[in-house]
């Protein structure tokens, strides 16, 4: 990618992946006046609903990737599980500023962990597992509770199983049978809180950080994000410096997220995401510039905006089983910003939308959320 080639409005941005992240990227791109084409196998997927065009094909269809590359001035992705060969092809054509290397790392939990080790950033103790006979020794070393995760393809708690005691061994064996061939077992940490850093790095290497977010998960799925996170300045500085180290090492371009656990005055790195992140949705209303906007600016070679937090925020995810309740409450809501992603089917545990509340004070913000949750019940 030519470092100083700027892609201006009127040009076409290709997006691989048609979910909610692609949709929100596309919306920001449309605000600025870009054309948007999405590649996704589902007709009328969330991103296609707000794009100029859709290429209807699987993500690893190389012909479709070639077509997307041909018609786009720049290509971006909304998830990390992009076919590597496809990513390399687009990169060689000079149209993938995010690059393919970062995908190779973030597609594999073991590679992420090894990178953290190399950068001397703490992670929860772990072992890589490729066969059943390795489970017991790993658990003996790590202790309980632990969690087993597939190295590839997991998201929203899919592809992982908590292990409470050795009595769960047969469940773990069954999990291995059903979920592939490479896993990590890691110690389940009793953390004080979970945080994430969403940052954007431009093509010249300049980084802009969004306020650190605090994340509350339910059943391994993000439920609420509070911003800014309620952490000490020491933790904040440590988290930001680790994030900066990772982003520079990976030569990230675009918005990028790092999930971490906080325990006392220590941080442990959990996951990397080479794209905008669920925990950054609050930036749409609470900041002067949001994670999708900055992402588009970065991949198009525009300078990043300086981020300012306008109000305190809390974001609550809306899963499939909560959509009906939300629609019932909405006609009475005078506060809060409702986002629904236009997904055809409201499956249980599927992320269908989110609601963000902003306020000047923590008291007001917490009250708005509490009232909303009460109404949803
Ligand atoms: P994904 O987001 O891809 O589903 P994660 O590894 O981020 O996978 O796990 C989802 C959530 O499960 C985490 O955000 C956290 O709440 C919980 N979790 C995962 N691993 C651990 C761990 N080692 N200790 C404590 N909680 C964990
Ligand atoms: Mg995660």
């Amino acid at each position: 990618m030519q470092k100083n080639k700027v892609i201006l409005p009127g040009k076409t941005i290709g997006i691989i992946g048609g979910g909610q992240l692609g949709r929100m990227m596309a919306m920001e791109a449309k605000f600025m006046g870009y054309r948007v084409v999405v590649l996704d196998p589902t007709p009328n997927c969330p991103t296609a609903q707000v794009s100029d065009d859709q290429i209807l094909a699987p993500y690893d269809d190389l012909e479709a990737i070639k077509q997307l590359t041909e018609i786009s001035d720049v290509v971006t992705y909304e998830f990390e599980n992009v076919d590597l060969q496809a990513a390399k092809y687009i990169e060689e054509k000079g149209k993938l500023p995010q690059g393919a290397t970062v995908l190779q790392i973030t597609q594999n939990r073991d590679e992420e962990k090894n990178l953290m080790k190399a950068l001397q950033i703490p992670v929860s103790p772990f072992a890589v597992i490729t066969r059943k006979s390795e489970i017991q020794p790993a658990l003996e070393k790590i202790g309980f509770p632990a969690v087993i995760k597939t190295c590839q393809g997991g998201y929203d708690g899919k592809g992982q199983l908590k292990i409470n005691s050795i009595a769960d061994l047969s469940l773990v064996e069954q999990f291995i049978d059903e979920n592939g061939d490479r896993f990590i077992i890691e110690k389940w940490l009793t953390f004080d809180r979970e945080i994430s850093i969403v940052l954007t790095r431009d093509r010249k290497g300049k980084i802009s950080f969004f306020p650190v977010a605090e994340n509350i998960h339910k059943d391994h799925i993000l439920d609420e994000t509070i911003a800014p996170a309620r952490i000490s300045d020491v933790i904040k500085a440590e988290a930001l410096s680790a994030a900066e180290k990772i982003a520079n090492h990976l030569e990230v371009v675009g918005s990028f997220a790092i999930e971490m656990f906080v325990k006392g005055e220590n941080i442990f790195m959990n996951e990397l995401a080479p794209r905008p992140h669920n925990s950054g949705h609050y930036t749409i209303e609470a900041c002067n510039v949001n994670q999708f906007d900055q992402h588009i600016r970065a991949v198009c070679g525009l300078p990043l905006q300086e981020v300012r937090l306008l109000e305190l925020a809390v974001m609550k995810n809306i899963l499939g089983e909560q959509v009906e309740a939300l629609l019932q409450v909405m006609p009475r809501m005078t506060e809060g910003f409702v986002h629904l992603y236009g997904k055809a089917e409201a499956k249980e545990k599927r992320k269908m939308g989110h609601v963000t509340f902003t306020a000047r004070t923590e008291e007001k913000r917490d009250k708005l959320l509490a009232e909303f949750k009460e109404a949803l019940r």
Side-chain angles (χ1 to χ4, degrees):
M1 189 95 204
Q2 289 166 267
K3 280 239 166 2
N4 32 22
K5 187 179 161 212
V6 179
I7 315 283
L8 289 170
K11 300 281 185 195
T12 301
I13 301 174
I15 303 180
I16 304 176
Q20 65 267 27
L21 300 176
R23 176 184 174 99
M24 291 183 267
M25 276 182 200
M27 285 165 121
E28 292 305 328
K30 291 310 294 178
F31 276 134
M32 287 187 257
Y34 290 97
R35 283 193 79 247
V36 176
V37 180
V38 58
L39 169 71
D40 192 276
T42 308
N44 199 37
C45 60
T47 310
Q49 293 165 22
V50 299
S51 297
D52 295 274
D53 223 335
Q54 174 173 14
I55 298 174
L56 207 58
Y59 309 120
D60 58 355
D61 178 335
L62 277 182
E63 277 314 306
I65 290 286
K66 281 183 185 165
Q67 195 192 339
L68 182 74
T69 310
E70 185 71 25
I71 60 177
S72 303
D73 296 284
V74 65
V75 178
T76 182
Y77 43 77
E78 63 134 27
F79 56 41
E80 48 276 32
N81 292 313
V82 175
D83 181 72
L84 278 187
Q85 224 193 318
K88 282 182 189 142
Y89 172 86
I90 310 167
E91 189 172 27
E92 275 160 24
K93 295 284 172 198
K95 291 187 178 176
L96 191 71
Q98 284 160 288
T101 318
V102 70
L103 289 173
Q104 198 166 334
I105 308 264
T106 54
Q107 281 175 4
N108 294 289
R109 288 189 194 274
D110 47 337
E111 293 218 22
E112 280 182 2
K113 299 261 191 201
N114 290 333
L115 174 67
M116 294 312 133
K117 269 192 171 170
L119 296 178
Q120 295 182 318
I121 297 170
V123 293
S124 180
F126 72 101
V128 177
I129 303 289
T130 52
R131 57 177 74 86
K132 286 183 190 168
S133 61
E134 292 166 348
I135 302 172
Q136 213 166 339
L139 287 172
E140 272 161 22
K141 198 179 90 187
I142 289 163
F144 297 101
V147 56
I148 183 164
K149 303 179 182 181
T150 56
C151 282
Q152 289 197 319
Y155 70 99
D156 291 348
K158 292 186 181 67
Q160 56 180 274
L161 177 75
K162 194 175 170 196
I163 314 169
N164 293 310
S165 73
I166 199 68
D168 292 339
L169 186 61
S170 60
L171 288 176
V172 179
E173 287 180 348
Q174 188 188 342
F175 180 85
I176 282 189
D177 283 337
E178 290 166 2
N179 287 282
D181 48 26
R182 208 172 162 79
F183 306 85
I184 56 166
I185 290 184
E186 69 182 37
K187 192 173 173 60
W188 185 265
L189 296 173
T190 42
F191 48 75
D192 302 330
R193 53 188 91 237
E194 290 193 73
I195 59 169
S196 57
I197 308 260
V198 178
L199 59 84
T200 316
R201 191 169 175 277
D202 74 13
R203 294 201 324 225
K204 292 177 181 154
K206 187 164 178 261
I207 296 180
S208 138
F209 291 97
F210 289 99
V212 182
E214 178 174 339
N215 301 315
I216 299 164
H217 290 78
K218 259 192 201 154
D219 300 331
H220 311 240
I221 305 176
L222 183 62
D223 182 34
E224 290 170 19
T225 295
I226 298 166
R230 297 163 295 187
I231 50 173
S232 70
D233 288 344
V234 177
I235 288 288
K236 186 175 153 188
E238 220 179 298
L240 289 175
S241 116
E244 186 174 9
K245 208 170 11 167
I246 295 166
N248 284 333
H249 179 87
L250 291 173
E251 297 184 7
V252 163
V253 173
S255 289
F256 188 89
I258 302 160
E259 300 176 9
M260 309 175 193
F261 302 121
V262 179
K263 195 177 164 79
E265 290 295 283
N266 299 306
I267 52 168
F268 298 87
M269 213 59 47
N270 176 28
E271 261 200 308
L272 309 179
R275 49 166 173 81
H277 192 259
N278 195 170
S279 68
H281 291 354
Y282 80 88
T283 61
I284 296 174
E285 286 91 9
C287 296
N288 61 315
V289 60
N290 69 56
Q291 61 166 347
F292 301 101
D293 208 345
Q294 290 281 71
H295 181 76
I296 296 294
R297 298 176 70 88
V299 297
C300 289
L302 293 168
L304 302 176
Q305 291 206 34
E306 200 174 303
V307 174
R308 290 190 309 272
L309 182 71
L310 305 175
E311 284 207 302
L312 308 179
V314 60
M315 181 233 49
K316 175 154 180 43
N317 270 338
I318 302 295
L319 303 183
E321 60 274 26
Q322 297 164 324
V323 174
E324 269 311 310
L326 171 67
L327 294 178
Q328 293 213 352
V329 172
M330 203 176 163
R332 285 178 278 131
M333 283 171 69
T334 54
E335 299 248 18
F337 300 89
V338 172
H339 296 247
L340 284 166
Y341 307 142
K343 294 185 185 177
E345 222 188 317
K347 287 187 207 149
E348 205 188 322
K349 303 268 185 231
R350 186 179 200 196
K351 287 176 183 168
M352 299 300 289
H354 71 267
V355 180
T356 301
F357 294 93
T358 67
R360 291 267 165 87
T361 64
E362 285 186 20
E363 295 71 35
K364 176 82 191 293
R365 174 189 67 192
D366 297 349
K367 186 167 172 274
L368 289 172
L369 177 70
E371 284 169 0
F372 176 63
K373 283 174 26 181
E374 185 57 40
L376 266 194
R377 253 190 238 134

